Amino acid sequence: MKLQIPNPGLEERIPSHAELEELEEVQARGRPQWDNKAQYMLTCVGFCVGLGNVWRFPYLCQSHGGGAFMIPFLLLLVLEGVPLLHLEFAIGQRLRKASVGVWRSINPYLVGVGISSTLVSYMVGMYYNTIIAWVMWYFFNSFQDPLPWSQCPVNENRTGLVSECARSSPVDYFWYRKTLNTSTKIEDSGGLQWWMVICLIAAWMVLWVCCIRGIETTGKAVYITSTLPYVVLTIFLIRGLTLKGSMNGIKFLFTPDLNELLNPATWLDAGAQVFYSFSLAFGGLISFSSYNSVHNNCEQDAVTISIINGFTSIYAAIVIYSIIGFRATERFDDCLSGNIVALLNAFHLPEGNITESNYNEVLQSLNSTSPEIIQALSLKTCDMQALLSQGVEGTGLAFIVFTEAITKMPISPLWAMLFFIMLFCLGLSTMFGSVEGVVMPLQDLNVFPKTWPKEALTGIVCLASFAIALIFTQRSGEYWLALFDSFAGSIPLLIIAFCEMIAVCYIYGIDRFNKDIEFMIGHKPNIFWQATWRVISPLIVLVIFLFYLVSTATKELTYIAWNPESDNFPMLETMFYPGWIYVIIFILSGVPALIIPLVAVYKYLWKSCCRSDNTHKKSISTVSAHIHMDMELKKSLPKKSSDVTATCAGLA
Amino acid sequence: MWVWIVCLLTAAPALAEPLCSKEVCDNYGYKVRISIKTALGDKAYEWNESEMFLFRATVAFAMRRYTSDETYNVSDIVVCNKTARVSFWFLVTSPANTAQLVPRGQVEAAVRLSRNRINSAFLLTDQTLQFVGILPTLAPPISYDTPPWLIVFGVVMGVVCAGIITLLLSTLLKRTRSKKNLLETEEEEDRRGSITANGRLCESLREKDPGRGHPDDVHLSKL
């Protein structure tokens, strides 16, 4: 006895199995196609594997009990990630439309789900490409030796280093001052920074040239953008393992703390990481899958891509932490040698008397004999554990911690170039999916006239995104980006994913869906898929959503700011958001979420008041009708050939 | 009695403040700290009296270079309070009058002028041959005419723009070519006459596009 919400008219909106077979033979009319399976797989892998695999997962892994984090991560990967992925692939392949078209076919009241995912793709794409602009800026600056973030600049009268830099560190200074030129709070907009604007232009133009003809061009670009990160990660792994202290980092990463499994935050973070890591609910995956041939094995694809994604996360974590271990060891050594020199100077001992091995005993003996001198020296405490767990996620990892580690390696510019080209490729391949998730639904919604070429569509989308993304090139841009990151891509996606599962299982009908999959891949989905699609995955997504909602609503909204005049400098200062921020948060989180019910209500009202128009709008979805409609579109071309071709195709 | 007076006169300077006292050193001397092992590691040499002699000679050289007329000698450089760290204080006395000490400011200026030469005599750097109180002059930052990042940016943008223009041009060319093809087909039809059996025209069309559907139409339909 399966729950099924009544859904009249479904048969007319979707192509039947027989029609799909015919579409196969007539070589995918009008819709673009993948050149080969490898392109499709590389595009999906590129979309799923992104910056989060490199800079979010390693941090979560280390902070939630190391090796023990694998258990919730892998478990939720199987129960939440794989089923959702399979669902999106299957529904896209079956209904052969982008996200808006798919949900409209299932039920016209569900168009809001598609519009919501388009909106989220758009907003996430805006700030994600700004991160790529930052990566490009660092990449451009890697072509010099010494690297600009390896040393502090000298002040005007050449007596010392610039104060802001001397008090923090060269990498901090380069990031906060030279790159962002950050203001002290989000209200100080500070104007656009020209170097950031031109980097942003470069980022959007590179994206446009890759997406200019849709999958025709992205399909070629992914051969490089999806494979290069793995090559670079391997190079860094080999380099990292040969550096001193790398094993410290890896041990720190994987040391299991099974007590963390009892902490609910661990499970929630694992669930959220799996969900966001798979780029679900953006609409891009549905769109990519719709270009496949009807009998493509989407089940196998979903499992393969999930395995690749999980493996990439773990692999990247090993690489990152080997380098982090190296950096921590270097810092520890520097700290210790600084203390040793101070002791030697104060007690006039010959060099070599105090080494790393006897430091502690010597310090103790000196402390017992002359504690006042030791006090006056104010020696720093050198703690390896603290150094290893220093804020290593997000932009902090890429632009501060990792860049510092690179400056300590020989041939630094080479490693910097490789690292940033890897981040660039990871980000760009995710952006392909994002752009796809915006352009195709807009086409489905007929926002643009059908005569406009694909190049114009992608160009307009890129231009519109660039125009709004100029916010992030202001002096306060980083704070805006953190705001977008927290609110634009978190809660709405969970709602969309939940709605997707309910729509497919209960509105489209799980029976029909099972039959579709049997038609497409040859066997019915087994009990695992049934259980996860109908109960387990929606439940997990619901729990994560409720937790996020409660935690966001209850906590005070603060952000961290870089303020050279603050007391705790160089620690970042915690600031409160101004009042008008709530309007922005509502636009980012609330609007995509509310669009789903609002569009349904609007459609209902429109339908009930304009009933008479509905009767003749029954579209006949057959192959010959499509041909006829195409021919109608070509009215501008000479009529004779069009009439004849229609008859010829009918004969064939 | 004359002997007593001579003795008093010669002993007078000796009875005055001794050179290596703390007050004299603070007012007229500089502390030097040398870290040979840190700088040279395995190739470190031992610090002995000969090295000290070289040090005094280089400081005398620095004073000569700075003043450029007064002939300072090794004997004019006084070294005090040597420790095992290898650190010591040094003072400079005037060559004309050994009782008169050269002021700190002049010593500092002289050392700063010849810092490089002093460092290279000992194969050390500003940090390992440390004059406590004399700040090292920092190297001027490397300044480029065009920042290197701008050059790389220019190259990347050039490639991207070339790519965009190529792709847009190829689309335009395809469109004009397909329009030309359709116009040609129409002309052919006109030549063959308006009333034609469907079969013959179908054949002519089929010859053009053998069996693959209509690839041009795919691009034109813009889906």
Side-chain angles (χ1 to χ4, degrees):
Chain A
M1 185 61 197
K2 291 180 187 130
L3 176 65
Q4 167 85 32
I5 298 170
N7 193 358
L10 182 60
E11 301 278 331
E12 283 108 38
R13 292 193 295 266
I14 61 174
S16 72
H17 291 179
E19 281 157 13
L20 287 178
E21 289 283 14
E22 271 186 80
L23 276 172
E24 269 294 277
E25 306 210 347
V26 189
Q27 302 261 354
R29 306 212 68 280
R31 202 166 174 78
Q33 255 189 330
W34 297 109
D35 288 347
N36 51 51
K37 185 72 182 277
Q39 263 189 12
Y40 167 62
M41 292 299 279
L42 283 174
T43 311
C44 288
V45 164
F47 187 30
C48 294
V49 170
L51 295 169
N53 295 69
V54 164
W55 70 31
R56 176 88 179 135
F57 176 80
Y59 169 75
L60 285 176
C61 195
Q62 167 264 312
S63 66
H64 283 299
F69 185 73
M70 296 298 157
I71 299 173
F73 179 71
L74 292 171
L75 200 64
L76 287 167
L77 190 104
V78 166
L79 291 177
E80 182 198 350
V82 181
L84 266 167
L85 202 62
H86 187 196
L87 189 121
E88 292 208 352
F89 282 161
I91 203 74
Q93 195 171 301
R94 168 67 180 89
L95 298 178
R96 317 201 68 71
K97 293 227 174 67
S99 64
V100 164
V102 158
W103 305 118
R104 185 169 46 201
S105 302
I106 292 181
N107 195 312
Y109 292 132
L110 289 175
V111 177
V113 177
I115 296 177
S116 181
S117 61
T118 309
L119 214 59
V120 172
S121 280
Y122 181 69
M123 289 195 288
V124 170
M126 260 194 278
Y127 80 78
Y128 208 82
N129 216 30
T130 311
I131 299 178
I132 295 180
W134 290 341
V135 169
M136 287 179 89
W137 160 260
Y138 268 80
F139 176 71
F140 295 151
N141 274 291
S142 306
F143 284 81
Q144 43 186 292
D145 192 16
L147 293 168
W149 56 82
S150 61
Q151 34 184 232
C152 278
V154 177
N155 61 17
E156 288 95 38
N157 36 8
R158 283 174 57 190
T159 51
L161 307 168
V162 172
S163 137
E164 192 182 345
C165 189
R167 284 184 293 153
S168 53
S169 73
V171 277
D172 280 320
Y173 180 76
F174 187 76
W175 171 235
Y176 285 108
R177 190 55 49 212
K178 286 280 187 264
T179 308
L180 302 172
N181 195 11
T182 183
S183 59
T184 52
K185 46 190 174 159
I186 198 169
E187 296 99 311
D188 289 336
S189 89
L192 303 177
Q193 311 299 300
W194 67 269
W195 60 92
M196 273 293 114
V197 174
I198 63 175
C199 283
L200 194 67
I201 292 176
W204 280 105
M205 289 194 77
V206 170
L207 184 63
W208 188 34
V209 84
C210 291
C211 291
I212 197 164
R213 285 199 202 138
I215 64 163
E216 198 188 318
T217 40
T218 63
K220 312 285 189 305
V222 289
Y223 284 121
I224 300 173
T225 61
S226 293
T227 52
L228 192 62
Y230 290 96
V231 173
V232 174
L233 276 175
T234 312
I235 295 174
F236 264 100
L237 183 69
I238 300 170
R239 170 75 272 208
L241 289 176
T242 55
L243 291 168
K244 178 189 173 202
S246 55
M247 292 315 287
N248 290 341
I250 298 180
K251 266 185 250 169
F252 183 69
L253 172 71
F254 285 124
T255 312
D257 178 11
L258 289 162
N259 291 326
E260 280 286 335
L261 292 179
L262 300 168
N263 180 5
T266 306
W267 292 86
L268 285 155
D269 277 339
Q273 173 62 17
V274 165
F275 181 76
Y276 296 124
S277 164
F278 275 82
S279 306
L280 297 160
F282 280 92
L285 289 170
I286 298 179
S287 196
F288 286 143
S289 178
S290 69
Y291 304 126
N292 274 330
S293 86
V294 176
H295 293 295
N296 175 53
N297 192 342
C298 51
E299 184 184 26
Q300 203 181 51
D301 293 344
V303 173
T304 314
I305 290 175
S306 310
I307 294 175
I308 293 177
N309 198 6
F311 159 75
T312 310
S313 293
I314 299 171
Y315 192 49
I318 297 175
V319 173
I320 296 289
Y321 266 85
S322 70
I323 307 285
I324 301 276
F326 159 71
R327 170 188 173 264
T329 311
E330 283 279 314
R331 275 205 149 185
F332 180 76
D333 286 346
D334 282 343
C335 175
L336 206 58
S337 43
N339 284 355
I340 291 175
V341 167
L343 283 175
L344 288 176
N345 288 349
F347 290 96
H348 302 119
L349 304 165
E351 282 180 287
N353 249 19
I354 310 180
T355 60
E356 286 172 27
S357 36
N358 62 7
Y359 172 76
N360 283 325
E361 301 109 48
V362 173
L363 181 64
Q364 269 188 349
S365 66
L366 287 174
N367 211 4
S368 50
T369 51
S370 29
E372 333 79 44
I373 306 182
I374 301 280
Q375 280 279 61
L377 286 176
S378 54
L379 297 170
K380 290 184 263 184
T381 40
C382 303
D383 181 7
M384 187 62 138
Q385 294 292 97
L387 286 169
L388 281 168
S389 50
Q390 258 175 1
V392 286
E393 70 156 330
T395 51
L397 171 69
F399 300 119
I400 298 179
V401 171
F402 215 84
T403 44
E404 190 188 333
I406 287 174
T407 57
K408 300 196 204 292
M409 294 190 221
I411 328 173
S412 318
L414 172 70
W415 304 114
M417 272 184 249
L418 280 176
F419 178 63
F420 291 114
I421 205 104
M422 174 185 82
L423 289 186
F424 175 73
C425 287
L426 283 171
L428 194 68
S429 51
T430 310
M431 282 305 298
F432 293 158
S434 201
V435 169
E436 180 76 15
V438 176
V439 171
M440 298 313 290
L442 287 178
Q443 251 185 3
D444 278 356
L445 286 169
N446 297 323
V447 168
F448 300 115
K450 284 215 161 31
T451 50
W452 284 16
K454 189 73 174 273
E455 287 88 343
L457 266 60
T458 45
I460 291 174
V461 168
C462 288
L463 190 67
S465 305
F466 163 73
I468 304 183
L470 283 172
I471 309 173
F472 304 122
T473 56
Q474 292 171 90
R475 290 188 62 187
S476 55
E478 208 247 330
Y479 308 135
W480 283 99
L481 199 131
L483 186 72
F484 268 66
D485 192 23
S486 315
F487 292 104
S490 52
I491 295 193
L493 287 171
L494 291 162
I495 299 176
I496 296 170
F498 184 75
C499 290
E500 281 185 5
M501 282 188 280
I502 301 298
V504 171
C505 291
Y506 302 110
I507 302 181
Y508 184 72
I510 192 74
D511 287 329
R512 183 185 290 275
F513 193 54
N514 287 337
K515 288 207 194 79
D516 286 338
I517 294 181
E518 193 176 353
F519 165 71
M520 289 196 293
I521 64 178
H523 60 265
K524 211 174 144 185
N526 59 30
I527 188 71
F528 166 74
W529 302 112
Q530 306 297 324
T532 47
W533 283 333
R534 285 202 271 165
V535 179
I536 302 179
S537 302
L539 208 62
I540 295 175
V541 170
L542 190 67
V543 166
I544 298 174
F545 165 69
L546 287 171
F547 170 76
Y548 260 90
L549 199 64
V550 166
S551 68
T552 314
T554 50
K555 76 170 180 220
E556 280 176 340
L557 291 174
T558 59
Y559 65 104
I560 43 175
W562 176 262
N563 187 358
E565 267 100 56
S566 83
D567 302 321
N568 304 354
F569 190 78
M571 299 291 289
L572 294 160
E573 206 186 348
T574 314
M575 312 268 289
F576 286 97
Y577 279 119
W580 46 265
I581 252 337
Y582 291 95
V583 179
I584 309 283
I585 292 177
F586 175 74
I587 296 175
L588 293 175
S589 284
V591 166
L594 289 174
I595 271 192
I596 301 175
L598 284 175
V599 167
V601 166
Y602 167 76
K603 281 231 170 250
Y604 176 73
L605 292 172
W606 186 81
K607 189 176 176 191
S608 54
C609 83
C610 316
R611 250 182 200 286
S612 51
D613 294 344
N614 283 350
T615 44
H616 70 265
K617 274 243 167 87
K618 269 192 197 157
S619 53
I620 311 162
S621 188
T622 60
V623 169
S624 44
H626 278 145
I627 296 171
H628 183 76
M629 288 200 300
D630 276 341
M631 293 304 122
E632 290 301 299
L633 286 169
K634 287 183 200 160
K635 282 268 190 266
S636 54
L637 298 167
K639 284 185 190 167
K640 287 183 197 164
S641 55
S642 54
D643 290 341
V644 175
T645 352
T647 335
C648 285
L651 284 173
Chain B
M1 191 171 104
W2 287 111
V3 176
W4 275 111
I5 296 170
V6 169
C7 278
L8 267 172
L9 282 171
T10 47
L15 287 171
E17 285 191 57
L19 274 176
C20 281
S21 70
K22 192 168 186 322
E23 279 178 28
V24 176
C25 280
D26 280 344
N27 290 331
Y28 291 95
Y30 273 101
K31 184 168 182 182
V32 178
R33 218 178 266 142
I34 299 185
S35 320
I36 309 173
K37 286 209 186 94
T38 318
L40 300 170
D42 290 334
K43 303 196 192 85
Y45 51 81
E46 208 196 301
W47 185 262
N48 50 28
E49 281 308 312
S50 317
E51 305 284 348
M52 185 57 86
F53 178 80
L54 179 60
F55 177 79
R56 292 163 70 197
T58 46
V59 175
F61 159 76
M63 294 303 301
R64 280 200 191 196
R65 200 161 163 241
Y66 177 66
T67 52
S68 65
D69 53 356
E70 295 169 41
T71 47
Y72 285 86
N73 265 317
V74 177
S75 47
D76 294 320
I77 316 294
V78 179
V79 172
C80 328
N81 299 340
K82 301 180 212 172
T83 68
R85 166 71 180 82
V86 189
S87 66
F88 49 84
W89 289 81
F90 77 93
L91 307 159
V92 182
T93 57
S94 171
N97 180 3
T98 46
Q100 192 191 7
L101 293 164
V102 176
R104 262 183 132 218
Q106 283 197 30
V107 175
E108 177 173 345
V111 166
R112 277 196 119 138
L113 182 67
S114 311
R115 192 67 187 265
N116 235 10
R117 303 290 295 272
I118 303 175
N119 284 349
S120 39
F122 291 95
L123 310 171
L124 296 172
T125 65
D126 279 357
Q127 283 76 36
T128 40
L129 174 55
Q130 199 184 358
F131 286 84
V132 178
I134 304 181
L135 301 167
T137 30
L138 299 162
I142 314 170
S143 63
Y144 303 97
D145 293 330
T146 342
W149 74 266
L150 217 49
I151 300 173
V152 184
F153 170 80
V155 169
V156 168
M157 283 303 277
V159 170
V160 167
C161 288
I164 291 176
I165 293 173
T166 322
L167 287 168
L168 289 175
L169 275 178
S170 72
T171 316
L172 266 170
L173 282 172
K174 258 191 218 153
R175 282 181 111 187
T176 47
R177 213 179 286 147
S178 63
K179 268 201 188 128
K180 231 176 68 175
N181 275 345
L182 281 158
L183 278 168
E184 280 177 14
T185 327
E186 214 192 48
E187 284 172 21
E188 249 189 77
E189 285 176 35
D190 287 338
R191 270 188 276 119
R192 293 194 191 201
S194 54
I195 307 165
T196 341
N198 276 347
R200 272 180 54 195
L201 265 178
C202 282
E203 274 169 21
S204 68
L205 283 166
R206 228 174 249 152
E207 279 163 49
K208 257 195 205 139
D209 299 316
R212 262 210 93 226
H214 300 266
D216 289 331
D217 295 358
V218 173
H219 293 292
L220 284 171
S221 54
K222 303 184 198 61
L223 281 171

